[in-house]
Amino acid sequence: MATLVAPHNHSPVEDAESLGKAVKGWGADGKAIISILGHRNAAQRTQIREAYQNLFQEDLIKRLESELSGDLERAMYRWILEPAEREALLANIALKRDDKSYQVIVEISCVLSPEELFAVRRAYHNRFKRSMEEDVAANTSGHLRQLLVGLVSSFRYGGSEINARLAQSEADALHEAIKKKNESNEEIIRILTTRSKTQLVATFNRYRDDHGIAITKKLSDEGSDEFHMAANLAISCINDHKKYYEKVLRNAMGSVGTDEEALTRVIVTRAEKDLKEIKDVYYKRNSVHLEHAVAKETSGEYKKFLLTLMGKED
């Protein structure tokens, strides 16, 4: 379930007028901006952008960029974009990072539905005038490239059917491939990039039942190179993405500072989908409500905005 609280009877024109007042003069009224945009769903935000353009002949996103700053500006910018456009932006930012972390690429490829991923790839074309696969390939090499390009370009079957015999044979194939380390990575790539999520979960469960260990744990034990880490991330996202996101949030608010980029990404991308369930998983794992953890690690209007998206007004 979503945590976003959006009214059914909003007026895009009235919202646009109120936002115009909030950004007029010296210094933006962040509280007013949050009170409006923090309570509007994707379709409503698009209507507001259109109404604002018609009223003021300027792009609302560009205006907010110039009026806001820091973590609030980055969070608001990601929030106001259409979901596919946002994911395309997040992918591009991840590919430009110096540390070459491919977590976001795997996340987008393995958590989104086939239709959603296709929409992200199309949005990437439109925004960056290149394909997402092209940029992933340009920034990687070897088996890691094969895996990530395969994940990004996959259009999985989205049904719920399970072939038990296939799950058994591919659990065995994965076991052999992991034992042989880099000699059989192609088999891991083939299975992870072609099978439906439902079929893969059945395969992962079969692996655990047959070998007494989770496949993610076995992969971690066998190697810590970029390929093994990416394969591990893919399996975690496919197997239980809510549990995966809980870990991302926990790590983002770890003992060594706060990773605002990761914190913002999870809350902004999941607020309209399943952030309520992710909050429940977080509480079960940490015995702390996610809202309390976020409030402790953030401050100011950035804090207020994140809490608003989480359905809690501070």
Side-chain angles (χ1 to χ4, degrees), residues 123-169:
Y124 199 99
H125 287 176
N126 294 338
R127 190 177 183 98
F128 302 108
K129 310 307 176 191
R130 301 182 302 276
S131 75
M132 194 166 153
E133 301 92 314
E134 185 180 355
D135 281 358
V136 169
N139 284 278
T140 51
S141 61
H143 288 141
L144 177 67
R145 173 190 285 168
Q146 292 176 36
L147 175 63
L148 294 182
V149 171
L151 290 173
V152 166
S153 57
S154 178
F155 192 83
R156 302 177 190 276
Y157 173 62
S160 58
E161 294 85 352
I162 293 172
N163 182 326
R165 291 178 66 183
L166 182 64
Q168 179 69 69
S169 67

Side-chain angles (χ1 to χ4, degrees), residues 8-77:
H8 296 295
N9 58 344
H10 90 115
S11 165
V13 174
E14 287 180 12
D15 284 345
E17 288 173 342
S18 297
L19 287 168
K21 292 175 185 174
V23 297
K24 192 176 181 180
W26 290 100
D29 184 347
K31 189 174 180 181
I33 294 168
I34 292 167
S35 71
I36 297 168
L37 294 176
H39 292 101
R40 301 294 183 268
N41 61 35
Q44 292 169 339
R45 296 194 301 275
T46 298
Q47 291 171 347
I48 293 169
R49 283 170 63 182
E50 292 169 355
Y52 189 92
Q53 180 71 46
N54 292 334
L55 282 171
F56 302 106
Q57 283 73 56
E58 70 173 353
D59 186 340
L60 176 59
I61 292 180
K62 289 182 179 177
R63 186 56 188 264
L64 290 174
E65 271 190 290
S66 68
E67 295 290 340
L68 304 176
S69 63
D71 293 324
L72 175 63
E73 183 272 319
R74 283 186 287 273
M76 188 64 72
Y77 182 74

